[in-house]
Amino acid sequence: TKSDVDHDEL
Amino acid sequence: MNIFRLTGDLSHLLAIIILVLKIWKTRSCAGISGKSQILFALVYFTRYLDLFTNYISLYNSFMKIVFIGASLATLYLMYMKFKATYDRNHDTFRIEFLLIPVTLLGLLVNHEFTPLEIGDTVLVVQVLWTFSIYLESVAILPQLFLVSKTGEAETITSHYLMALGSYRALYLINWIWRYYFEGFYDLIAIVAGIVQTVLYCDFFYLYITRVIRGRALRLPA
């Protein structure tokens, strides 16, 4: 599974 | 990165620095909930696992490492160095009442919507991220419970709570901003962020009406 959600927030 | 996101991050950073300094300078962790601090450490460890899987920026990695480091330092000060000052008789919130529902919710409502498979690193990181978002939204409850139980908080502890609560409130404005200008939104983070901020409302009111006017934070009997 490749996530399309990149969490740039902390 | 907009101004609300940046001030939110700085507010978060300020909160954890205030906490470490308060404990270090007063040589005491009285009035601080060790249970909330354990939950925050768990939040950072589960959310920032992506330090190993996903590079975003130097700023991002740096802040994550600082949050994990400060969190560990706080736990060390509370449970080792100044253990004798820890208010364990008042810190009696049952954290399993938070951990169990939050774990179930993280498994059921996350961004992947696929069954959990062993060895799927991306999926595991994603589920743990979701768990951490849910857990963070309620992690302050043991601390608020402790304050309500003792009926008071030191002024420095109030500043810590104010900075920590403001951080997610500023993130909410950041999310509105990002929705309008970037078309970006993350429903899980938004809903949890609203819950997290709402939990502080009562405290915000007391802070504004008492602490800012130079009085100690004492709850009405």
Side-chain angles (χ1 to χ4, degrees), chain B residues 141-213:
Chain B
L141 284 174
Q143 178 64 56
L144 296 176
F145 181 73
L146 191 155
V147 171
S148 74
K149 225 178 163 194
T150 58
E152 59 186 4
E154 284 175 62
T155 301
I156 188 73
T157 304
S158 305
H159 294 327
Y160 160 69
L161 284 170
M162 186 64 198
L164 194 63
S166 310
Y167 131 74
R168 223 49 176 176
L170 287 159
Y171 258 67
L172 290 180
I173 308 172
N174 153 60
W175 289 326
I176 296 170
W177 179 286
R178 291 193 71 176
Y179 180 72
Y180 276 108
F181 294 103
E182 299 167 27
F184 168 88
Y185 72 97
D186 185 327
L187 209 53
I188 288 177
I190 292 170
V191 173
I194 291 172
V195 170
Q196 186 169 340
T197 306
V198 165
L199 292 182
Y200 284 87
C201 282
D202 193 36
F203 170 80
F204 287 153
Y205 174 77
L206 288 170
Y207 186 86
I208 291 164
T209 54
R210 289 164 199 240
V211 181
I212 288 186
R213 294 183 188 164

Side-chain angles (χ1 to χ4, degrees), chain A residues 1-3 5-10, chain B residues 56 60 112 120 126 171 174-175 178:
Chain A
T1 316
K2 174 78 188 83
S3 169
V5 187
D6 283 335
H7 307 295
D8 67 319
E9 295 178 341
L10 295 163
Chain B
I56 292 164
N60 191 281
E112 293 298 326
D120 189 337
Q126 198 61 245
Y171 258 67
N174 153 60
W175 289 326
R178 291 193 71 176

Side-chain angles (χ1 to χ4, degrees), chain B residues 40-70:
Chain B
F40 282 125
L42 199 54
V43 165
Y44 298 135
F45 273 105
T46 49
R47 187 172 314 162
Y48 300 157
L49 272 181
D50 65 357
L51 273 172
F52 301 104
T53 60
N54 196 12
Y55 177 79
I56 292 164
S57 67
L58 189 61
Y59 169 84
N60 191 281
S61 300
F62 174 77
M63 293 293 258
K64 285 173 176 171
I65 292 166
V66 170
F67 289 151
I68 292 175

Side-chain angles (χ1 to χ4, degrees), chain A residues 1-7, chain B residues 105-114 122-123 125-131 133-134 184-191:
Chain A
T1 316
K2 174 78 188 83
S3 169
D4 52 356
V5 187
D6 283 335
H7 307 295
Chain B
L105 197 62
L107 287 169
L108 292 172
V109 187
N110 59 63
H111 285 306
E112 293 298 326
F113 305 112
T114 49
V122 175
L123 179 57
V125 168
Q126 198 61 245
V127 168
L128 287 174
W129 177 88
T130 315
F131 163 84
I133 290 286
Y134 294 144
F184 168 88
Y185 72 97
D186 185 327
L187 209 53
I188 288 177
I190 292 170
V191 173

